[in-house]
Amino acid sequence: MTCDNAIEESRELIRKGEDAQIEIMIYSTEETLEYEIQNKKRNLAISTKKIQQKGFSTKKEHSGLGLSTIRKITETYENMSITYDISNDYFDFYLVMDREV
């Protein structure tokens, strides 16, 4: 889902003649799994709080369920945390899962 979002945003940038960029990091130890995806975004004012709301989407004809579904999953599991950051024309999604004891 997060990769799809980054790819779709990159396609929009390219369609407008702008440069696109996606960076993905996956790091795993015995204690944690970290996943981060960062992509260049269009010059849109986006709230990190709003993107997690059910039904919100910056894409035409999309249901806006993706990030709200991820939020619900993290609310179910105490060992998961997600942070979003929007700055300097980039969107950053960072997930950490601690090994359950």
Side-chain angles (χ1 to χ4, degrees):
M1 176 178 336
T2 56
C3 287
D4 287 342
N5 287 350
I7 291 167
E8 288 174 11
E9 184 67 11
S10 295
R11 285 182 177 151
E12 284 298 312
L13 286 168
I14 291 167
R15 188 179 65 77
K16 293 181 177 218
E18 298 179 37
D19 292 331
Q21 182 178 353
I22 299 173
E23 294 182 16
I24 299 173
M25 181 274 302
I26 300 172
Y27 179 74
S28 178
T29 67
E30 290 183 23
E31 292 83 27
T32 63
L33 170 72
E34 296 178 47
Y35 167 80
E36 182 174 27
I37 184 162
Q38 184 181 75
N39 61 280
K40 193 168 181 184
K41 67 172 194 64
R42 290 171 285 166
N43 189 15
L44 299 173
I46 302 172
S47 159
T48 56
K49 187 174 182 178
K50 196 167 194 172
I51 63 173
Q52 298 176 64
Q53 294 175 351
K54 184 177 180 180
F56 177 81
S57 180
T58 59
K59 299 174 257 180
K60 293 179 181 177
E61 300 179 24
H62 278 257
S63 60
L65 297 176
L67 295 178
S68 68
T69 301
I70 291 173
R71 181 183 46 78
K72 285 182 183 177
I73 292 169
T74 59
E75 290 172 354
T76 304
Y77 298 98
E78 293 179 7
N79 64 322
M80 291 179 70
S81 67
I82 292 181
T83 57
Y84 302 94
D85 184 49
I86 300 172
S87 60
N88 299 327
D89 296 329
Y90 284 87
F91 176 80
D92 186 78
F93 173 91
Y94 182 66
L95 171 117
V96 177
M97 291 184 352
D98 294 325
R99 184 179 64 135
E100 292 188 68
V101 180

